[in-house]
Protein backbone atom coordinates (compact mmCIF):
# COMPACT_ATOMS: atom_id res chain seq x y z
CA UNK A 1 0.00 0.00 0.00
CA UNK A 2 1.40 3.36 -0.96
CA UNK A 3 1.64 6.23 1.45
CA UNK A 4 -0.75 8.31 -0.65
CA UNK A 5 -3.39 5.57 -0.59
CA UNK A 6 -3.01 5.13 3.17
CA UNK A 7 -3.29 8.88 3.75
CA UNK A 8 -6.37 9.12 1.51
CA UNK A 9 -8.05 6.32 3.49
CA UNK A 10 -7.25 8.02 6.80
CA UNK A 11 -8.53 11.35 5.45
CA UNK A 12 -11.72 9.73 4.14
CA UNK A 13 -12.34 8.03 7.49
CA UNK A 14 -11.70 11.28 9.39
CA UNK A 15 -14.10 13.20 7.15
CA UNK A 16 -16.74 10.51 7.63
CA UNK A 17 -16.39 10.63 11.42
CA UNK A 18 -16.40 14.44 11.54
CA UNK A 19 -19.51 14.55 9.35
CA UNK A 20 -21.37 12.73 12.15
CA UNK A 21 -20.61 15.25 14.88
CA UNK A 22 -23.33 17.49 16.22
CA UNK A 23 -23.15 21.27 16.15
CA UNK A 24 -21.17 22.67 19.07
CA UNK A 25 -23.88 25.30 19.62
CA UNK A 26 -26.36 22.48 20.19
CA UNK A 27 -23.97 20.90 22.67
CA UNK A 28 -23.55 24.16 24.58
CA UNK A 29 -27.18 25.34 24.47
CA UNK A 30 -27.55 27.03 27.87
CA UNK A 31 -31.32 26.65 27.94
CA UNK A 32 -31.04 22.84 27.84
CA UNK A 33 -29.33 22.44 31.23
CA UNK A 34 -31.07 21.51 34.47
CA UNK A 35 -30.10 19.77 37.67
CA UNK A 36 -31.24 16.13 37.65
CA UNK A 37 -33.70 15.15 40.37
CA UNK A 38 -31.93 11.90 41.26
CA UNK A 39 -29.11 9.58 40.26
CA UNK A 40 -31.34 7.47 37.96
CA UNK A 41 -32.35 10.56 35.99
CA UNK A 42 -28.70 11.66 35.73
CA UNK A 43 -27.58 8.27 34.39
CA UNK A 44 -30.51 8.17 31.95
CA UNK A 45 -29.58 11.61 30.65
CA UNK A 46 -25.94 10.59 30.43
CA UNK A 47 -26.81 7.47 28.42
CA UNK A 48 -28.95 9.45 25.94
CA UNK A 49 -26.45 12.29 25.61
CA UNK A 50 -23.54 9.91 25.04
CA UNK A 51 -25.50 8.19 22.30
CA UNK A 52 -26.37 11.52 20.67
CA UNK A 53 -23.13 13.50 21.17
CA UNK A 54 -20.64 10.60 20.98
CA UNK A 55 -18.45 12.09 18.24
CA UNK A 56 -18.36 15.45 20.04
CA UNK A 57 -17.44 13.72 23.28
CA UNK A 58 -14.63 11.77 21.59
CA UNK A 59 -13.29 15.03 20.11
CA UNK A 60 -13.52 16.65 23.56
CA UNK A 61 -11.61 13.73 25.12
CA UNK A 62 -8.94 14.00 22.43
CA UNK A 63 -8.59 17.75 23.07
CA UNK A 64 -8.20 17.12 26.82
CA UNK A 65 -5.57 14.45 26.11
CA UNK A 66 -3.65 16.85 23.86
CA UNK A 67 -3.78 19.59 26.51
CA UNK A 68 -2.54 17.16 29.16
CA UNK A 69 0.31 16.07 26.90
CA UNK A 70 1.19 19.71 26.17
CA UNK A 71 1.58 20.30 29.89
CA UNK A 72 4.09 17.41 29.99
CA UNK A 73 6.30 17.92 26.92
CA UNK A 74 8.68 15.07 27.76
CA UNK A 75 5.77 12.62 27.69
CA UNK A 76 4.57 14.09 24.42
CA UNK A 77 7.99 13.70 22.79
CA UNK A 78 8.29 10.14 24.06
CA UNK A 79 4.86 9.30 22.59
CA UNK A 80 5.84 10.91 19.28
CA UNK A 81 9.02 8.82 19.27
CA UNK A 82 7.06 5.69 20.10
CA UNK A 83 4.57 6.46 17.32
CA UNK A 84 7.43 7.04 14.87
CA UNK A 85 8.87 3.66 15.84
CA UNK A 86 5.51 2.00 15.13
CA UNK A 87 5.28 3.73 11.75
CA UNK A 88 8.83 2.70 10.88
CA UNK A 89 8.29 -0.92 11.92
CA UNK A 90 5.01 -1.42 10.09
CA UNK A 91 4.86 1.12 7.26
CA UNK A 92 8.37 2.18 6.23
CA UNK A 93 10.31 -1.07 6.75
CA UNK A 94 8.71 -3.46 4.27
CA UNK A 95 11.22 -6.33 4.52
CA UNK A 96 10.95 -8.77 7.45
CA UNK A 97 12.69 -7.91 10.72
CA UNK A 98 15.84 -9.97 11.28
CA UNK A 99 17.68 -9.93 14.63
CA UNK A 100 20.69 -12.21 15.21
CA UNK A 101 19.76 -14.30 12.18
CA UNK A 102 16.16 -14.89 13.31
CA UNK A 103 13.35 -13.60 11.09
CA UNK A 104 10.32 -12.25 12.93
CA UNK A 105 6.78 -12.39 11.51
CA UNK A 106 4.42 -9.41 11.51
CA UNK A 107 2.51 -10.96 14.40
CA UNK A 108 5.69 -11.30 16.46
CA UNK A 109 6.63 -7.70 15.61
CA UNK A 110 3.17 -6.57 16.77
CA UNK A 111 3.46 -8.46 20.06
CA UNK A 112 7.00 -7.17 20.64
CA UNK A 113 6.13 -3.56 19.83
CA UNK A 114 3.02 -3.74 22.04
CA UNK A 115 5.02 -5.11 24.95
CA UNK A 116 7.78 -2.54 24.45
CA UNK A 117 5.20 0.27 24.26
CA UNK A 118 3.47 -0.86 27.45
CA UNK A 119 6.77 -1.11 29.30
CA UNK A 120 7.84 2.37 28.17
CA UNK A 121 4.45 3.96 28.85
CA UNK A 122 3.72 2.45 32.25
CA UNK A 123 7.08 1.54 33.80
CA UNK A 124 9.87 3.67 32.33
CA UNK A 125 8.15 7.04 32.09
CA UNK A 126 5.29 9.15 33.41
CA UNK A 127 3.28 8.84 30.19
CA UNK A 128 0.82 6.44 31.83
CA UNK A 129 -0.07 8.90 34.57
CA UNK A 130 -0.48 11.71 32.03
CA UNK A 131 -2.78 9.50 29.92
CA UNK A 132 -4.88 8.49 32.93
CA UNK A 133 -5.06 12.10 34.09
CA UNK A 134 -6.32 13.16 30.67
CA UNK A 135 -8.82 10.31 30.52
CA UNK A 136 -10.05 11.11 34.03
CA UNK A 137 -10.51 14.82 33.29
CA UNK A 138 -12.19 14.09 29.97
CA UNK A 139 -14.54 11.52 31.49
CA UNK A 140 -15.43 13.93 34.29
CA UNK A 141 -16.27 16.65 31.76
CA UNK A 142 -18.36 14.28 29.65
CA UNK A 143 -20.17 12.92 32.72
CA UNK A 144 -20.93 16.41 34.04
CA UNK A 145 -22.24 17.61 30.68
CA UNK A 146 -24.18 14.41 30.00
CA UNK A 147 -25.87 14.42 33.40
CA UNK A 148 -26.78 18.11 33.34
CA UNK A 149 -28.02 18.45 29.73
CA UNK A 150 -31.70 17.60 29.33
CA UNK A 151 -32.00 15.36 26.24
CA UNK A 152 -35.74 16.01 25.66
CA UNK A 153 -35.18 18.16 22.56
CA UNK A 154 -32.73 15.72 20.92
CA UNK A 155 -33.84 13.63 17.97
CA UNK A 156 -32.61 10.19 18.95
CA UNK A 157 -32.83 7.40 16.41
CA UNK A 158 -33.70 4.32 18.45
CA UNK A 159 -32.01 1.98 15.95
CA UNK A 160 -28.76 4.00 15.95
CA UNK A 161 -27.73 2.64 19.34
CA UNK A 162 -27.85 -0.99 18.19
CA UNK A 163 -24.45 -0.84 16.49
CA UNK A 164 -22.45 0.09 19.59
CA UNK A 165 -20.59 3.19 20.69
CA UNK A 166 -17.85 3.03 18.05
CA UNK A 167 -20.26 2.46 15.13
CA UNK A 168 -19.47 5.99 13.91
CA UNK A 169 -15.99 4.74 12.94
CA UNK A 170 -17.37 2.37 10.31
CA UNK A 171 -16.88 3.75 6.81
CA UNK A 172 -20.02 4.76 4.92
CA UNK A 173 -21.57 2.11 2.72
CA UNK A 174 -21.40 2.78 -0.97
CA UNK A 175 -24.58 4.23 -2.40
CA UNK A 176 -25.72 5.79 0.91
CA UNK A 177 -25.46 9.44 1.68
CA UNK A 178 -24.45 10.86 5.04
CA UNK A 179 -26.41 13.84 6.24
Amino acid sequence: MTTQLAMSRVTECARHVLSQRREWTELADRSAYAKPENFAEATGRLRKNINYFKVNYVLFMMAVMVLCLLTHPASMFMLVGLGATWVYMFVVKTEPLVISGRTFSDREKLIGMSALSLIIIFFLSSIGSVIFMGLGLGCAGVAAHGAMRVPDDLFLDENAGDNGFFAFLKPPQTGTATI
Side-chain angles (χ1 to χ4, degrees), residues 20 41 48 55 60 64 90 106 119 121 128 153 156 158:
Q20 298 178 55
E41 182 183 356
K48 287 180 182 177
V55 176
F60 172 76
V64 169
F90 291 100
D106 282 341
I119 289 169
I121 288 172
D153 62 336
L156 295 173
E158 296 299 326

Side-chain angles (χ1 to χ4, degrees), residues 66-150:
V66 167
L67 287 174
C68 286
L69 285 171
L70 286 175
T71 61
H72 296 86
S75 297
M76 184 178 57
F77 289 129
M78 290 179 80
L79 274 180
V80 167
L82 206 53
T85 305
W86 275 84
V87 168
Y88 176 76
M89 291 297 290
F90 291 100
V91 177
V92 176
K93 184 173 175 51
T94 56
E95 66 270 0
L97 177 65
V98 178
I99 299 176
S100 298
R102 185 183 186 302
T103 303
F104 292 90
S105 69
D106 282 341
R107 182 171 184 243
E108 291 170 323
K109 282 194 319 188
L110 178 65
I111 292 169
M113 284 297 297
S114 297
L116 180 67
S117 297
L118 288 174
I119 289 169
I120 289 173
I121 288 172
F122 293 110
F123 298 111
L124 299 180
S125 69
S126 65
I127 299 173
S129 63
V130 173
I131 289 172
F132 284 124
M133 180 180 64
L135 285 174
L137 289 172
C139 287
V142 167
H145 178 271
M148 297 297 285
R149 188 175 195 303
V150 180

Side-chain angles (χ1 to χ4, degrees), residues 27 29-54 57 141-154 156 165:
L27 186 85
D29 181 17
R30 289 186 353 196
S31 64
Y33 292 97
K35 182 180 174 190
E37 294 295 321
N38 53 37
F39 184 72
E41 182 183 356
T43 56
R45 286 183 186 182
L46 182 60
R47 194 172 306 120
K48 287 180 182 177
N49 283 323
I50 284 177
N51 188 33
Y52 188 75
F53 292 115
K54 60 183 144 192
Y57 287 158
V142 167
H145 178 271
M148 297 297 285
R149 188 175 195 303
V150 180
D152 292 342
D153 62 336
L154 304 179
L156 295 173
F165 180 78

